[in-house]
Amino acid sequence: MNTKNQQRNPVVLAHGIDDTGAVFYRMADYLKQQGWSVYTLNLVPNNGDVGLDELAKQLANYIAGTFAPEQPLDLVGFSMGGIVSRYYVQRLEGIKRVQRFVTISSPHYGTVTAYASQRPGCVQMRPNSIFLKDLNSDAAMLKQLNFTSIWTPYDLMIVPARSSQMPVGGEVIVPVAMHPWMLRDSRSLAVVAEVLTEPIKFYPQFEHVRNSQKLPLGGGNT
């Protein structure tokens, strides 16, 4: 794959539960070597003690404080970080600046492993949670972006693994044996790099959606 001389947006990486930005060490190095500017943040607390909507506000504040308002971005979210990123994109106006959006092994339709904890962020990641139903009610808006879901059918953290599938955007299956390996496997890294070099799509028919997002949870959604 030739990625030389292609314009690259800054890439923001959002980690999963019980992780920090350091979990992206291999992916960040890989992308930097190929010419990307890579940014990571630590979502606090990282253990589910607060809702994913609150973590999404941290992501929004980080982006607002790091980049100029006119700077387009690409966003990669791993596991819980993919759902946090979706909330930012779909509810906190991130869709106005994110151009390429990648989720890696994210529980878009919930995971039964989230029943192991009563923490608010974990409850939100349960199958059929109010939080996920709300996000999935207008997931079609992700068609405005270059959106790609990457996942493995052997995932034991996202159960069922097909919960990482989405009805919109692109999909890449990387048959990695374990959930955390998705950030280190050479095949995953290559897929992320390829997705981040795709030409930006523009769908003028969705412009009305871009300008009329649903309110964040607690601001009118049920």
Side-chain angles (χ1 to χ4, degrees):
M1 177 181 61
N2 181 11
T3 60
K4 300 293 185 182
N5 300 320
Q6 297 184 26
Q7 182 174 353
R8 292 167 171 77
N9 288 337
V11 181
V12 177
L13 307 177
H15 63 79
I17 195 166
D18 293 327
D19 285 330
T20 68
V23 75
F24 289 108
Y25 72 96
R26 184 165 295 176
M27 180 175 292
D29 286 346
Y30 179 84
L31 294 175
K32 288 175 182 177
Q33 289 173 10
Q34 298 195 47
W36 275 278
S37 297
V38 181
Y39 299 80
T40 61
L41 74 159
N42 294 329
L43 300 169
V44 180
N46 65 355
N47 62 355
D49 270 348
V50 301
L52 307 191
D53 46 321
E54 292 300 317
L55 297 182
K57 293 174 185 176
Q58 293 181 29
L59 176 60
N61 290 336
Y62 173 82
I63 289 174
T66 304
F67 306 100
E70 67 276 6
Q71 174 65 58
L73 305 170
D74 294 340
L75 183 57
V76 179
F78 171 61
S79 196
M80 177 192 75
I83 308 304
V84 171
S85 298
R86 276 189 63 191
Y87 194 89
Y88 165 67
V89 168
Q90 293 180 235
R91 298 289 178 266
L92 302 180
E93 300 190 335
I95 200 163
K96 294 182 178 180
R97 64 185 308 167
V98 174
Q99 293 186 330
R100 300 178 185 91
F101 178 25
V102 182
T103 60
I104 303 173
S105 293
S106 293
H108 296 296
Y109 288 88
T111 173
V112 299
T113 60
Y115 285 108
S117 173
Q118 295 295 326
R119 292 169 174 167
C122 296
V123 171
Q124 289 176 328
M125 289 189 286
R126 293 176 179 177
N128 298 311
S129 72
I130 293 174
F131 182 84
L132 290 178
K133 283 184 176 180
D134 177 75
L135 276 186
N136 290 327
S137 68
D138 59 352
M141 69 190 301
L142 296 175
K143 292 180 181 179
Q144 297 177 66
L145 314 177
N146 285 43
F147 173 70
T148 304
S149 172
I150 304 171
W151 64 286
T152 173
Y154 306 119
D155 207 320
L156 296 179
M157 181 64 70
I158 310 303
V159 181
R162 65 178 181 275
S163 178
S164 293
Q165 291 180 290
M166 285 287 284
V168 299
E171 174 186 356
V172 181
I173 297 175
V174 182
V176 174
M178 295 182 67
H179 185 74
W181 292 0
M182 290 294 285
L183 296 184
R184 303 194 293 271
D185 190 277
S186 60
R187 293 166 295 180
S188 294
L189 300 182
V191 169
V192 171
E194 183 173 3
V195 170
L196 294 178
T197 57
E198 290 179 349
I200 299 299
K201 301 172 184 177
F202 178 65
Y203 297 93
Q205 67 269 37
F206 291 107
E207 191 63 26
H208 70 285
V209 181
R210 183 183 295 268
N211 293 320
S212 59
Q213 288 181 279
K214 291 177 67 175
L215 294 173
L217 288 176
N221 288 339
T222 58

